[in-house]
Amino acid sequence: MEEFDNKLENLKQLLSSQSRQNWLFGAGISFGSKIPLMYPLTERVESIVNDTSGAVEKAILTSLKADLEQDCHVEHYLSHLGDLLAIAERSKDKLAHIGGSAYSVAQLKSLYLEIIKAIGGIVRYGYVAEDADRSIDEEAGTAESPIVEIDPHYEFIEALLLNQSNLERRSKTTFFTTNYDTLLEDALALHKKAVCDGFSGGAVGFWNAENEFSKTSLDSSTYQLFKLHGSIDWHRDEKLGLVRARYGTKYLSNPANIMIYPQATKYVETQKDPFASLFMGLRKTLMSNQQNTLLTCGYSFGDDHINAEIESALRSEGNQTTVIAFIQEAPKHGVVINKTLDKWLSCPKIGVRVYVAGESGIYHTSTKPFAETDTSKYAWWRFDGLTQFVKTGEV
């Protein structure tokens, strides 16, 4: 009990008194806003493609699924399609083979763009999958009747601002997210906070990361936001380049031009803009030699490239970054939390600067949790539970 109290006090101190605070968010924080997690998203995308696409696109998707591991999701589909497109474009006959059939660049690209369009609509307007065990009916948002809720993000930002009220003038808080939705920047704006996201302009913005992210005059009410996997309101236009666009305009209206980054394990993709600038921002933030805290929520540590950037910083000589992961344990085949966090916690060199706030307690320097009792359960791994912890300090 005493050890738990000490670890809890450490977390509170890092959360409330650290002047350089960085948040990394993943899909889990938007679940309560009626945006599906990766596997329900995948099932919904498959359903849309099968309902609206042609026979060739359906055949490629079927072959694609058969060619991949059973637990793959829609980002893996896009990655695999990206590889096949590269093969087809390099080959003499401009074809790639999958499932015993040959497909052209145009056919592969058609499915790729159909998937991008489907993701954009689902994330923009919301979707809830049917769950008979929990008496939840399927609910699909549309442009006429969107179902996405902002309350969870709004309440988190409110709690964070309240928690940092004594620090805001001298603190630097930066946000990183792998999510495609716009809920985080919308919640900040509704709290009258300016957002620096790499774009210049107004409701329609143009990509100007070198200038925007290099500004040293950012005041305490301006927050940098790095959308590491792109966004549903980013469009790659052939003439105009990368722009942040309004919904529902005649111009910039092709939903297949949404700029999202599916290839989370592809190092080469991060060397191109906009992702080169976004990952450079993550790297520079983590590599700071000042005291620095990286807090995660809704992020499952499934992105190898992001994990590599964090680990590189933790292992760097003189680095003072501390990681606090709010995450539910996923025990399987000897794994306690997940492979990445288990490894970091158990490493003598970096484990002292890694905390995990899980459902069963606080993990620090080992994969054995510190808790009030052997049966204690904590809700801070959920976004609403984290909001409550940030707001009150109660567990």
Side-chain angles (χ1 to χ4, degrees):
M1 178 67 175
E2 183 179 350
E3 287 181 301
F4 173 79
D5 289 340
N6 290 338
K7 301 296 184 186
L8 179 61
E9 189 58 33
N10 289 346
L11 291 187
K12 290 180 180 180
Q13 286 294 319
L14 288 165
L15 192 58
S16 63
S17 63
Q18 178 57 260
S19 61
R20 293 177 62 85
Q21 192 175 105
N22 310 284
W23 289 90
L24 170 60
F25 293 121
I29 72 164
S30 295
F31 176 73
S33 296
K34 298 188 176 181
I35 297 175
L37 299 175
M38 195 56 68
Y39 289 105
L41 173 66
T42 300
E43 291 177 5
R44 179 59 177 166
V45 168
E46 291 175 6
S47 176
I48 291 172
V49 169
N50 285 320
D51 286 345
T52 62
S53 299
V56 173
E57 287 83 2
K58 294 176 187 177
I60 298 173
L61 181 59
T62 299
S63 297
L64 197 70
K65 291 174 62 179
D67 206 39
L68 292 169
E69 296 284 350
Q70 192 170 1
D71 62 349
C72 286
H73 52 64
V74 69
E75 288 192 346
H76 298 121
Y77 297 176
L78 289 171
S79 293
H80 209 53
L81 278 170
D83 292 339
L84 291 168
L85 279 164
I87 291 169
E89 287 168 348
R90 285 196 302 268
S91 68
K92 185 182 297 185
D93 56 6
K94 301 300 178 186
L95 297 173
H97 295 78
I98 182 171
S101 299
Y103 297 101
S104 67
V105 170
Q107 289 170 328
L108 293 167
K109 193 170 184 178
S110 178
L111 175 60
Y112 189 99
L113 296 179
E114 286 297 315
I115 292 175
I116 293 290
K117 284 196 293 184
I119 291 173
I122 294 164
V123 173
R124 182 171 292 157
Y125 305 120
Y127 176 74
V128 177
E130 181 183 9
D131 188 335
D133 293 338
R134 298 169 60 193
S135 300
I136 295 174
D137 294 329
E138 182 183 51
E139 189 178 7
T142 64
E144 294 76 22
S145 301
I147 62 172
V148 173
E149 304 283 355
I150 199 172
D151 291 359
H153 293 70
Y154 185 90
E155 290 165 7
F156 171 78
I157 294 299
E158 184 174 62
L160 187 64
L161 295 176
L162 179 65
N163 184 268
Q164 294 183 344
S165 59
N166 64 326
L167 285 173
E168 189 168 6
R169 290 191 176 275
R170 58 186 177 86
S171 68
K172 177 180 171 67
T173 301
T174 304
F175 296 101
F176 300 90
T177 181
T178 61
N179 295 348
Y180 309 136
D181 63 67
T182 65
L183 292 171
L184 191 57
E185 54 264 50
D186 293 349
L188 282 163
L190 291 173
H191 280 289
K192 298 181 173 59
K193 302 300 178 184
V195 177
C196 173
D197 62 355
F199 289 85
S200 298
V204 172
F206 60 95
W207 183 247
N208 191 21
E210 185 175 354
N211 180 60
E212 291 295 325
F213 286 138
S214 64
K215 288 179 179 177
T216 57
S217 59
L218 294 175
D219 61 30
S220 60
S221 63
T222 298
Y223 292 82
Q224 288 188 328
L225 170 63
F226 294 82
K227 303 192 77 171
L228 299 173
H229 286 184
S231 182
I232 56 169
D233 62 345
W234 295 7
H235 286 248
R236 175 71 78 184
D237 185 85
E238 288 184 7
K239 294 182 179 179
L240 303 174
L242 180 62
V243 295
R244 186 188 59 217
R246 293 190 187 101
Y247 299 164
T249 57
K250 182 178 180 180
Y251 51 93
L252 304 173
S253 60
N254 186 350
N257 286 340
I258 294 172
M259 190 66 183
I260 61 175
Y261 169 65
Q263 302 181 57
T265 60
K266 302 282 185 190
Y267 176 78
V268 67
E269 289 299 313
T270 65
Q271 306 311 297
K272 305 173 186 177
D273 243 4
F275 304 111
S277 296
L278 297 168
F279 275 87
M280 184 182 297
L282 176 66
R283 190 175 305 121
K284 287 176 63 175
T285 299
L286 295 174
M287 284 296 187
S288 170
N289 57 9
Q290 302 179 49
Q291 287 191 337
N292 202 25
T293 304
L294 176 70
L295 306 102
T296 77
C297 184
Y299 177 64
S300 63
F301 290 82
D303 188 311
D304 293 339
H305 191 66
I306 292 176
N307 298 345
E309 295 288 356
I310 299 171
E311 183 168 343
S312 178
L314 289 171
R315 291 185 179 277
S316 176
E317 290 298 326
N319 187 272
Q320 298 187 64
T321 295
T322 298
V323 174
I324 305 174
F326 293 90
I327 186 171
Q328 186 182 34
E329 299 87 340
K332 184 180 180 182
H333 303 310
V335 172
V336 177
I337 305 160
N338 59 50
K339 288 182 179 179
T340 299
L341 289 173
D342 283 12
K343 182 181 74 170
W344 292 355
L345 285 166
S346 303
C347 176
K349 181 176 176 63
I350 66 176
V352 71
R353 289 186 288 125
V354 177
Y355 290 83
V356 174
E359 187 175 29
S360 296
I362 300 171
Y363 300 80
H364 185 226
T365 69
S366 80
T367 54
K368 181 179 179 180
F370 297 94
E372 293 166 291
T373 70
D374 291 340
T375 58
S376 294
K377 297 294 180 185
Y378 303 95
W380 47 19
W381 61 271
R382 298 198 318 256
F383 195 38
D384 57 348
L386 173 60
T387 298
Q388 196 62 26
F389 178 59
V390 170
K391 184 176 182 179
T392 66
E394 300 294 326
V395 296

